[in-house]
Amino acid sequence: MTAVPTPVPADDKGRRFGLVAFGTYTRTLTLAHASHIGTVLAALLIVALTLDLASRANQVIAQATGGVPGLVLHMLWYLLLRICDVIGNLLPLACFMGLFWSEVTLTQSRERIVIWNGGRSPLQSVVPIIVLGVLLGALQVTALAVLRPTAVAIQIETGLGGHGEWFDRRLKPEERRWIVLPNHMVQARIDFRNRTLVDVQLFELSEGGRLTGRMAAASAVPAETPGIWVFRNGSRWTAPAEGAQTPASGNGAARRFAEERIALPLEPLWLANLGIDARFLPQSTLSQLASIQGLGEPAYRAWWHVRIAQAVLPLGMMLMASALAMTLLAQRTLFKPMILIGLAGYFLYVTNNIVVWLGEYGQLPPLFAAWFMPLAMIATGLGLMARIERAGRD
């Protein structure tokens, strides 16, 4: 179904009139759009929190103290932390669906026809969306860069919810981890809070992968000099040189030491955050990790760019919803186009997440993964609106 052509006011008497960008129309439409987006966002949050709480209720209740009042406060605190965590995921989808809902009401009430017949073209009608895009873009960046990392950090510190369980930073008596480095392999218990290796074994490898030495120590801590680690209370075994004559036992030399310094390409900040997804880290930590050369973790650089790029993602989602509604539902609402537009919004939301994930895993350049979908949606939405406007002037 084609859009209603945009009438051009008669200019036979040379009359001209201007449109006030921030007048009554902008205020009214901005509030209407915001109301619909807020309603959709609230509905998505209710569904997400219900599903989350259904699987974690017993754990959350077990941590509550102080009787019924304490339980209620503890539950509300947990829900607040979860809202801070997931709102950044749900806001872009709410922007599309809420704006689409608002556009449907404009079609059903014939307000869109009145607006266009009054001389305000599709591109001139985009000001309310831009205003909301700026405000919701700021909220999106705040949610991803401040609210989510803070909420996750609190859950980790208090052992609350899934994040408190998955990213537990306590030193565990039995848990040992492997860390693979260039020419080294490390097996140790990790004291994340103190950035220390405990009960550590270090395997030294040649360029060809041959084991050239092994070190076992009670602990290892980073020295003042970057790239140097201090191993304490341990022993070092050195393999015989390749091709050298060795004793019948085939064993190399071994010696004990109280302290030994080893050049090890193990970044203490990376070690402290090992196992925590990049999207959950504070912005300052993410910036430091993203700037470290040779770290080999594309997720840090990808999410540093994503948090900036998503300032324009709500605008892109709203422009696409508005442009598709103007194209397919300009005159009246039909079931099939409405379903198609709703599916298109979900497709755009999922596609953006997939592109970000590809950047996180190093399959796409970080800049491309962060900016491609938001900018493509903005360009496509404005292009569709311009096409409708040109059709109305022909």
Side-chain angles (χ1 to χ4, degrees):
M1 187 171 191
T2 58
V4 173
T6 306
V8 181
D11 196 27
D12 54 337
K13 296 183 179 180
R15 293 187 305 161
R16 293 180 179 274
F17 64 92
L19 296 175
V20 181
F22 297 97
T24 302
Y25 167 84
T26 298
R27 293 196 300 270
T28 303
L29 263 292
T30 300
L31 291 175
H33 293 338
S35 175
H36 290 132
I37 292 171
T39 303
V40 173
L41 180 60
L44 292 175
L45 284 172
I46 290 172
V47 173
L49 294 176
T50 300
L51 295 175
D52 178 85
L53 197 57
S55 62
R56 295 283 172 186
N58 291 336
Q59 178 190 10
V60 175
I61 291 173
Q63 294 177 316
T65 58
V68 174
L71 174 61
V72 173
L73 291 175
H74 186 71
M75 190 70 71
L76 291 175
W77 174 239
Y78 174 73
L79 292 176
L80 176 62
L81 293 176
R82 293 298 296 143
I83 289 173
C84 292
D85 182 14
V86 303
I87 191 172
N89 287 340
L90 301 177
L91 182 59
L93 183 59
C95 286
F96 186 97
M97 295 303 179
L99 206 287
F100 174 43
W101 179 12
S102 196
E103 291 288 347
V104 168
T105 62
L106 291 179
T107 299
Q108 292 177 332
S109 64
R110 302 294 181 181
E111 289 184 53
R112 190 195 319 280
I113 305 301
V114 173
I115 291 168
W116 286 0
N117 288 339
R120 190 180 291 267
S121 69
L123 286 177
Q124 290 172 327
S125 303
V126 82
V127 176
I129 298 177
I130 294 176
V131 171
L132 268 182
V134 172
L135 296 176
L136 295 178
L139 175 59
Q140 178 73 355
V141 172
T142 302
L144 294 179
V146 179
L147 298 182
R148 173 193 271 175
T150 302
V152 172
I154 292 173
Q155 291 179 73
I156 292 173
E157 191 65 28
T158 59
L160 184 61
H163 294 318
E165 178 182 344
W166 300 326
F167 306 139
D168 189 358
R169 301 285 93 181
R170 293 175 298 178
L171 177 62
K172 300 178 180 65
E174 301 298 332
E175 183 180 77
R176 302 181 68 86
R177 297 197 182 212
W178 281 96
I179 302 174
V180 179
L181 303 169
N183 301 325
H184 292 88
M185 293 182 66
V186 179
Q187 185 193 57
R189 296 161 56 210
I190 301 177
D191 186 349
F192 294 101
R193 291 189 172 96
N194 295 312
R195 305 182 183 185
T196 302
L197 300 174
V198 179
D199 299 333
V200 55
Q201 295 190 69
L202 174 68
F203 301 89
E204 298 173 327
L205 307 173
S206 67
E207 293 293 337
R210 176 177 177 269
L211 180 66
T212 60
R214 173 181 172 274
M215 181 181 294
S219 66
V221 298
E224 299 81 3
T225 305
I228 303 297
W229 282 73
V230 180
F231 288 74
R232 294 183 176 132
N233 300 325
S235 63
R236 169 185 278 279
W237 171 84
T238 304
E242 189 172 4
Q245 186 176 1
T246 61
S249 64
N251 294 331
R255 63 178 177 83
R256 301 222 24 112
F257 61 85
E259 182 175 294
E260 185 162 336
R261 292 173 177 261
I262 302 293
L264 197 64
L266 181 59
E267 174 59 43
L269 181 62
W270 176 84
L271 182 68
N273 295 282
L274 179 63
I276 301 179
D277 296 346
R279 63 182 180 273
F280 298 130
L281 295 176
Q283 187 68 11
S284 58
T285 302
L286 195 62
S287 298
Q288 293 179 59
L289 291 171
S291 64
I292 296 175
Q293 298 296 326
L295 192 58
E297 292 285 350
Y300 299 130
R301 295 188 298 276
W303 271 98
W304 188 87
H305 287 291
V306 166
R307 286 179 175 176
I308 298 173
Q310 295 226 342
V312 297
L313 181 60
L315 174 61
M317 296 292 281
M318 288 189 291
L319 283 173
M320 284 300 299
S322 181
L324 289 173
M326 289 182 185
T327 303
L328 301 175
L329 301 173
Q331 299 182 46
R332 55 178 176 164
T333 55
L334 297 174
F335 179 76
K336 185 177 179 180
M338 290 179 64
I339 293 298
L340 290 176
I341 293 174
L343 291 175
Y346 188 72
F347 172 79
L348 291 171
Y349 173 74
V350 172
T351 302
N352 178 73
N353 288 338
I354 291 174
V355 172
V356 169
W357 291 335
L358 290 174
E360 187 175 356
Y361 288 105
Q363 302 302 307
L364 290 175
L367 268 174
F368 180 88
W371 288 97
F372 172 70
M373 284 300 296
L375 294 182
M377 284 189 279
I378 291 174
T380 303
L382 292 176
L384 286 173
M385 290 183 180
R387 178 175 175 273
I388 297 170
E389 184 162 341
R390 285 196 303 270
R393 293 182 181 278
D394 291 340

